Amino acid sequence: MALDPETFNQLLETVDRYVKERLVPHEKEVSEKNQIPPELVLEMKELGLFGISIPEKFGGMGLTNEEEVRLIMTFSQTSPAFRILWGGNVGIGSQGIVLDGTDAQKQHYLPKLASGEYISSFALTETEAGSDAASVKTIAEREDGSYVLNGRKRFITNAQNADIITVMARTGDDISAFIVEKGVPGLSFGKPEKKMGLEGTHICDVVFEDYRVPAENLIGVQ
């Protein structure tokens, strides 16, 4: 639902001022330490940036596509690491749930993503699969009330920082999406990648070894 023009312009002015006064002065620190200061993360949560595309009934702003693009353009006048931190929550890390999640999935995960309580990530890419999603080799096999995941994802942004990861895996002849939570046996991470630029953004492999995800965490038709 679109904001009225005056309210939206006030939002843009607030974001523009925040970027110039708080984020730009920390660019060097983020680059040198490869880490965003925790106080800035908290401030971005308080500004509501983690929920700009999530519907209002789940605690987000529910911006239109145009409003979202304009806000991100305003915010992006600084190191991309700051936007990438919350970009998954408003993009591919949440939109599968927004568009095709069950009512239970939406009620449980979206408010946490909108507030920034949860950080999300998205795991599609593999050594031989990326844009060609049909080449995914990570397997999810149904076993009683769970799916057992085995495979390795490559170059996954925010993976080690994420509370949930949307994982694309092969279920027979189909490719399905699962909400995977951290802290469950069978989930591990590769060594963080060294990058040319994008300091402050963390990228690594995600490894599944007999990881059990509840069947109700399958996104889409159950």
Side-chain angles (χ1 to χ4, degrees):
M1 184 170 125
L3 298 177
D4 66 84
E6 182 178 355
T7 300
F8 182 66
N9 285 333
Q10 289 174 350
L11 174 62
L12 289 184
E13 290 172 2
T14 298
V15 169
D16 182 64
R17 184 168 59 253
Y18 176 70
V19 167
K20 293 174 179 175
E21 295 179 359
R22 293 293 292 151
L23 300 186
V24 171
H26 283 86
E27 290 175 342
K28 183 178 180 181
E29 177 187 353
V30 170
S31 179
E32 292 175 346
K33 295 183 178 180
N34 194 31
Q35 189 71 42
I36 298 173
E39 63 270 22
L40 296 183
V41 178
L42 179 60
E43 290 171 4
M44 286 186 275
K45 291 177 181 181
E46 292 173 344
L47 281 172
L49 296 172
F50 285 79
I52 62 174
S53 67
I54 294 174
E56 290 182 271
K57 67 178 180 179
F58 298 114
M61 290 189 191
L63 299 186
T64 65
N65 288 341
E66 179 185 347
E67 290 171 338
E68 184 180 342
V69 168
R70 291 178 63 190
L71 185 147
I72 290 174
M73 288 177 65
T74 300
F75 187 90
S76 296
Q77 308 305 307
T78 183
S79 167
F82 295 117
R83 185 194 59 78
I84 292 171
L85 173 68
W86 51 266
N89 281 39
V90 306
I92 54 180
S94 69
Q95 288 307 295
I97 302 172
V98 171
L99 297 173
D100 207 24
T102 64
D103 288 341
Q105 290 169 352
K106 292 176 180 179
Q107 293 289 343
H108 181 71
Y109 292 108
L110 292 182
K112 294 178 172 65
L113 292 171
S115 68
E117 177 184 348
Y118 276 11
I119 301 293
S120 69
S121 182
F122 181 83
L124 166 63
T125 303
E126 299 178 0
T127 302
E128 298 179 358
S131 300
D132 180 14
S135 297
V136 163
K137 291 185 171 58
T138 296
I139 295 174
E141 296 181 305
R142 185 67 183 259
E143 188 174 300
D144 298 325
S146 302
Y147 283 86
V148 180
L149 270 63
N150 283 283
R152 188 181 190 99
K153 295 297 183 178
R154 192 85 172 97
F155 300 129
I156 305 305
T157 303
N158 281 342
Q160 285 183 291
N161 303 324
D163 298 279
I164 63 170
I165 307 174
T166 299
V167 178
M168 309 300 290
R170 184 171 295 282
T171 49
D173 294 330
D174 298 322
I175 304 296
S176 300
F178 296 89
I179 304 169
V180 164
E181 299 194 10
K182 69 177 182 181
V184 177
L187 173 64
S188 61
F189 303 98
K191 183 180 179 180
E193 299 286 344
K194 292 184 179 180
K195 306 171 299 299
M196 186 172 66
L198 287 182
E199 289 85 2
T201 298
H202 304 143
I203 299 171
C204 67
D205 285 9
V206 180
V207 183
F208 298 98
E209 297 176 296
D210 293 331
Y211 176 97
R212 289 184 174 273
V213 56
E216 58 264 30
N217 283 28
L218 171 66
I219 298 177
V221 179
Q222 304 292 302

